Structures are given as structure tokens and as C-alpha cells.
Amino acid sequence: MPAHQDTNPATPADLLFPAWMPPHLRLMQLIAAKWITQPLLALTHLGVADLLQGGPRTVEGLAQDCGVLTDPLRRCLRAAAGVGVFSEMEDGRFTLTPMAHHLSSGVDLSLRDLTLLLGSEPTTRSFAGILDVLKTGRPSFQNANGTAFFDYLDQSPELGTIYQGAWAPLTAGVGQALLKAVDFAQFGTVADLGGGNGTLLRAILDAHPSLKGVLMDRPKVLEGAHPDLTRGKLAQRVELFAGALPQDIPTQADAYLVKNTLHCFDETVAAETLLSIRAAIGDRKDARLFLIESVITPGNEYDWGRFVDIEVMVNCGGRVHTLPEWEKLLDTYGFVLDDAKSLLPPQWLLTARPK
């Protein structure tokens, strides 16, 4: 039976708000979330966190470097400081906080590109149609932007690059946690399905010199594959496999990775993907499927998966599953869920074998 992780006993209110805040003010802060997110988005566009990596700065100096006016910049920084992102010092200078550090580019677990992605105009337009999603059950991105989400990424190089950049830093952290959780030496070839630029596969191959890899993703995405995989030290052990789920599954692997992909699909495509992977495995009972996903936990505790669920519901018609739902889905399409555990919050690792 899969292991279930202990949940935090704190209530959502305890985690999101200071104890002194009355219920009506807590609700006001949620309703007015754009008063926080939009200043953070602007500060991220300006690269303020990068400018503060060298130490505290005056608003005047920051404004000059950013090419903006001092007064509105100060007010945005002050709002961000009120929720712990940046901090205003007694002399009026601003400095980084632990959260603000993650808005910097090139740092571990950078959220810079994720901030730009979630605050981009196409996804903002999509969320404006959430009421239609509730009425129709269909994602609103295509109606808002003229094309489906992943097609839009292919057609918009700038946003496509931001999308890949949004997940790469988080994937790097997941990769290190995955190497501690799974002994990949038992396999001959690992295939990363929807593997983006290959950050996760690269970490696995670096750690296992005898292992071969297959990086599968859409042709446009593979154009941005990491140089180590295309012409560098790992190129001789890697095949770039152009395709799209659910149908294009390489057959030569004995370990299949699918990270944060199935939740982007509706139930039909997710089912077809699992069926395709199961068909590619065939009668190889030692093969394994590793799903890296958010999992919605029971109760009312704070759970990032609940909010990812809304993101994919609106933009691409996907769904984040509970653990029982994952067990049922895998069982229905030819797998047994052997283990489920927290990997790098909010990510879980689900390990399945063919029935």
C-alpha cells in the first residue's frame, strides 16, 4: 500500500495570515490578491531582485537602473515588503528577504520565470474566463487567445522560453531529490517524456555513467535542449525523440519518467498516455513508471496541488489528482501503484509497475 505523508495540522488561516487578522480582513486580502501579485510581477520584470543581490539599495538608485520613477517603485516595494517579499530598512533602503531571493535569476529554485509566466497577458486573459470554465467544463485559454495552450507556446517563442525557464530551476531541485529516492543503476535506458530541455534527464545521466537516456518532447521544445545532451559530454548516450503525448512513446526504455505532464491533460488524454506507456513496456515486468506530480491531500490543509489544479483546469483542461484517484487511474490502465511519497514539496513521486 502506498505510504501517505503526514499533513500539517495547521489550518489554512494559520499558514496564510497573521494571528491578529480578523476574518473579514483575511477575506479582503484574498479578494485583493492582485494588489500583491501585480506589484511583484512588475518588480520581477524590472529585475529588482537581481539588482539587490549585491546588498541593500536606495529606491532612487534602483529606479535609475530600472528606468522607472522613484515614487511608484517605492510604493510597489513597500507593498511587497508588507508580505515578506523584500524588506525596507530604517534608512529607507530596500534589501532582499529569503522569499525575494527566489525572484532572482540564476539562483537555486528561482521563481523568476514562473512569476512572469503566471502573470503573462495570455494566462491573465485565460483566467478572466474562469466563469465560462465553470459553465462549460472546457478550458478558457483557446477562447481567450485563439489557440490551445501548448500550441500557443510553440507559436510564441518568448512565452515558450519563459515556460521552460519557469520549470527548469524547480526541476533541478527535483532531480537531486529523485536521485536519492530511486536507484537508476538498475535500469539500462531511462526515457523522460515531456522532458523539456532535459534538466531532469541530465542530472540522472550525470550520476549514472552507464545509463542511456531518451529525451522526448515537441520538436520546438527539443530545439532548446541542453547543450550537454545535444553536443556535449552526454550526447553519445542520449536520443532526442520528437513527438507529443499521448501517442509518441519510445519503446526501448525500461524506466519512464513523466514529470508534471499528466495533470496538464484532460482525463481522456491522460488515460491514452498511460495506455501508450503500458503498450511500450509490453511484457517487461521489471520496467517502471515514475510520475512526478502534485497530489491533492485530504482535509482542509494548505495544499499547493489545489491551486495547480485551478491553473490547469483554466488553461488546458487538466486535473491534479488525489492519491486514491491516482491508484484507480493507474490500475485501470495497466499499472500497480507501488509507492507514493513526498519528493521535493510540492512534488510527489509515484512509482508504478506494469500489471
Side-chain angles (χ1 to χ4, degrees):
M1 193 64 188
H4 190 282
Q5 301 299 299
D6 290 335
T7 56
N8 191 323
T11 67
D14 292 333
L15 292 169
L16 289 173
F17 307 107
W20 60 263
M21 189 178 285
H24 77 281
L25 190 53
R26 298 180 183 197
L27 181 59
M28 285 174 62
Q29 183 163 321
L30 293 175
I31 294 169
K34 66 181 180 182
W35 296 350
I36 299 171
T37 57
Q38 289 303 310
L40 285 177
L41 178 63
L43 295 170
T44 304
H45 271 293
L46 294 173
V48 170
D50 287 326
L51 293 173
L52 290 174
Q53 281 292 332
R57 296 279 305 275
T58 66
V59 180
E60 291 78 8
L62 290 171
Q64 183 174 2
D65 286 350
C66 294
V68 297
L69 298 175
T70 300
D71 180 62
L73 179 61
R74 186 191 309 277
R75 293 159 74 177
C76 284
L77 282 166
R78 182 175 62 191
V83 290
V85 186
F86 303 107
S87 178
E88 185 174 10
M89 304 172 67
E90 290 184 1
D91 61 6
R93 292 181 300 164
F94 280 86
T95 187
L96 291 176
T97 61
M99 281 198 290
H101 171 76
H102 292 286
L103 287 180
S104 305
S105 56
V107 301
D108 288 344
L109 299 178
S110 170
L111 299 181
R112 176 187 179 276
D113 282 355
L114 181 63
T115 303
L116 298 179
L117 173 67
L118 297 183
S120 67
E121 288 187 14
T123 58
T124 300
R125 285 194 295 266
S126 182
F127 263 74
I130 192 170
L131 188 58
D132 288 334
V133 178
L134 269 64
K135 291 178 178 179
T136 66
R138 296 190 298 270
S140 59
F141 190 93
Q142 182 165 348
N143 190 49
N145 295 285
T147 187
F149 181 70
F150 289 105
D151 292 335
Y152 191 98
L153 294 181
D154 283 342
Q155 297 165 16
S156 174
E158 182 179 359
L159 189 62
T161 300
I162 289 173
Y163 180 84
Q164 293 300 327
W167 305 118
L170 300 175
T171 300
V174 166
Q176 296 308 308
L178 183 64
L179 287 171
K180 295 177 181 178
V182 178
D183 178 16
F184 284 98
Q186 64 187 297
F187 303 112
T189 301
V190 57
D192 191 355
L193 308 181
N197 64 12
T199 298
L200 185 58
L201 183 62
R202 179 168 159 254
I204 295 170
L205 296 180
D206 266 336
H208 297 281
S210 64
L211 193 63
K212 294 181 179 180
V214 181
L215 179 63
M216 176 269 173
D217 215 312
R218 305 186 312 281
K220 282 282 188 181
V221 176
L222 291 182
E223 290 175 5
H226 194 281
D228 281 355
L229 304 179
T230 58
R231 57 183 183 272
K233 59 181 180 178
L234 301 175
Q236 296 302 313
R237 293 196 278 136
V238 175
E239 176 188 352
L240 300 184
F241 188 97
L245 298 175
Q247 66 272 16
D248 298 318
I249 309 294
T251 59
Q252 67 268 42
D254 45 8
Y256 289 86
L257 296 175
V258 188
K259 175 185 173 294
N260 287 341
T261 299
L262 290 187
H263 72 231
C264 295
F265 300 145
D266 62 30
E267 294 294 289
T268 299
V269 177
E272 290 174 355
T273 299
L274 290 173
L275 282 172
S276 295
I277 297 171
R278 183 63 186 87
I281 289 175
D283 60 0
R284 292 174 293 156
K285 295 300 183 182
D286 291 336
R288 291 293 180 269
L289 170 61
F290 298 102
L291 300 178
I292 299 172
E293 285 279 355
S294 296
V295 175
I296 296 179
T297 53
N300 296 312
E301 289 78 17
Y302 180 89
D303 183 350
W304 180 253
R306 299 168 187 261
F307 309 114
V308 176
D309 186 48
I310 300 301
E311 174 75 13
V312 296
M313 178 183 76
V314 170
N315 280 328
C316 44
R319 176 185 297 272
V320 176
H321 294 284
T322 64
L323 194 55
E325 287 171 342
W326 273 119
E327 287 187 271
K328 181 178 180 181
L329 191 64
L330 288 163
D331 178 70
T332 300
Y333 298 106
F335 292 93
V336 175
L337 181 60
D338 275 340
D339 188 43
K341 57 189 174 186
S342 178
L343 189 62
L344 178 70
Q347 307 290 354
W348 285 52
L349 174 63
L350 310 179
T351 303
R353 56 182 167 85
K355 287 202 292 187

